[in-house]
Amino acid sequence: MNSSHLIEAFLEMMSAERGGAANTVASYRRDLADYAAFVDGRGARFATVDAEGVRLWLADLEKRGLAPASAARRLSAIRQFHQFLVSERIRADDPTGIIGGPKKRQHLPKILSEAEVERLIETAAADAGRAASKAARVRATRMHALMELLYATGLRVSELIALPASAARAGLTFLTVKGKGGHERLVPLNDKAHAAAAAYLAARTAAGHGESPWLFPADSESGHLTRQAFARELKSLAALAGIASAKVSPHVLRHAFASHLLQNGADLRVVQQLLGHADISTTQIYTHVLEDRLTALVTRHHPLAGTKGRKGLTRQAG
């Protein structure tokens, strides 16, 4: 089998046997195509490439400016691919088994303040309120609903744009969301988010738009709003709100959801569940927002944190 046939066989296995999401499979396809081009360019084959070949590919990724986190994700895809080749007896060994992953630089997520998020939502609401035509009202109420839902739930953008129309059903207090790996979780839905979604659905109906299984339908291959379209509209909203568009993205609003919950006393485990993180270590990147609160907590309550406590300790030591 040539490279493309092996890749297709692996992707079919990922989709059929492991239930890989469409976005995951598409990402693996891109990563494997890049790897195949490099291997073929060196005159090697998947059945014969060795550990040194994998290291050279990683070095090439670094030379091309790929971030360590992105290179680590690509290496993970290649590991799974080579494990598949071993399981199918196409080769006897896994050349990635002794390869260490690129060291990731720990970057703190960009965070919007509570005031900035509130300004974005208020701007979206005001834009919806002054929309003159039915078409303009549909677009504006959709943006307002997207903003309220994203900040209220912390959904991944892929989860948000693929919400079913039933998410605006009257009396709904929780959303059942299917996240990465097909895992389902319950996410609370507050009154403001529900009202914004219902207002958008009413505007859509009044404009004579047909029924759709999606809450945010669009003329796209998937049938619903795309991530790219939402990101562009969000940048426009940021400009309208007087916030630098470079600071704003759907993922930044997910960060804001998590950070603001922690700032206001939420438990880290609860935030982990709401975000749909399989491992709490992924959620712990947000603990930087707790530093000031924890410092103040220790200062107020630790017996030796204040001046009086330190003087008392000194006298006892004397």
Side-chain angles (χ1 to χ4, degrees), residues 13 99 104 144 238 290:
M13 181 276 295
I99 303 293
K104 298 180 183 180
H144 182 217
L290 297 175

Side-chain angles (χ1 to χ4, degrees), residues 22-270:
N23 286 341
T24 302
V25 172
S27 176
Y28 279 9
R29 187 185 299 279
R30 290 191 297 271
D31 295 343
L32 287 167
D34 181 85
Y35 180 56
F38 182 82
V39 170
D40 291 345
R42 296 185 66 247
R45 298 173 62 86
F46 285 148
T48 59
V49 64
D50 56 11
E52 182 60 21
V54 177
R55 289 194 185 95
L56 288 173
W57 173 68
L58 289 171
D60 185 63
L61 293 181
E62 183 178 4
K63 192 183 301 182
R64 284 186 266 159
L66 203 69
S70 298
R73 180 186 57 75
R74 290 197 184 188
L75 178 59
S76 175
I78 303 313
R79 285 192 203 281
Q80 293 182 67
F81 176 64
H82 275 292
Q83 289 164 10
F84 167 76
L85 296 183
V86 172
S87 70
E88 295 294 309
R89 298 184 180 179
I90 293 167
R91 62 179 296 160
D93 65 319
D94 174 6
T96 69
I98 59 172
I99 303 293
K103 291 185 178 179
K104 298 180 183 180
R105 294 187 293 269
Q106 187 80 343
H107 290 296
L108 296 179
K110 294 179 182 178
I111 298 295
L112 291 171
S113 68
E114 292 182 38
E116 286 174 320
V117 175
E118 186 176 359
R119 198 187 328 161
L120 282 169
I121 293 175
E122 287 178 348
T123 301
D127 198 34
R130 61 173 171 261
S133 67
K134 287 183 178 180
R137 182 163 179 76
V138 170
R139 287 194 301 270
T141 54
R142 182 180 72 178
M143 192 62 195
H144 182 217
L146 285 162
M147 290 298 300
E148 290 282 11
L149 284 165
L150 182 52
Y151 187 53
T153 62
L155 295 179
R156 298 179 178 92
V157 63
S158 58
E159 297 166 346
L160 175 69
I161 59 176
L163 283 174
S166 59
R169 191 175 67 241
L172 195 66
T173 56
F174 282 86
L175 294 176
T176 301
V177 180
K178 183 175 286 189
K180 287 187 175 179
H183 299 297
E184 289 190 344
R185 69 186 189 279
L186 285 177
V187 180
L189 186 65
N190 65 30
D191 291 340
K192 289 181 66 178
H194 187 276
Y200 158 66
L201 204 56
R204 204 178 84 188
T205 302
H209 290 200
E211 292 294 321
S212 170
W214 308 110
L215 181 57
F216 302 110
D219 185 17
S220 65
E221 185 178 344
S222 63
H224 57 66
L225 183 69
T226 65
R227 292 177 295 173
Q228 295 83 354
F230 175 39
R232 286 195 300 270
E233 291 182 18
L234 184 54
K235 297 286 187 186
S236 298
L237 178 66
L240 197 60
I243 298 171
S245 59
K247 289 182 63 176
V248 182
S249 73
H251 205 59
V252 167
L253 283 167
R254 178 169 155 89
H255 290 322
F257 165 83
S259 300
H260 298 168
L261 279 179
L262 288 169
Q263 284 172 347
N264 286 284
D267 181 83
L268 190 65
R269 286 284 183 188
V270 172

Side-chain angles (χ1 to χ4, degrees), residues 295-310:
T295 300
L297 182 70
V298 171
T299 301
R300 283 197 307 270
H301 299 292
H302 195 286
L304 303 182
T307 304
K308 182 178 179 181
R310 287 197 297 273

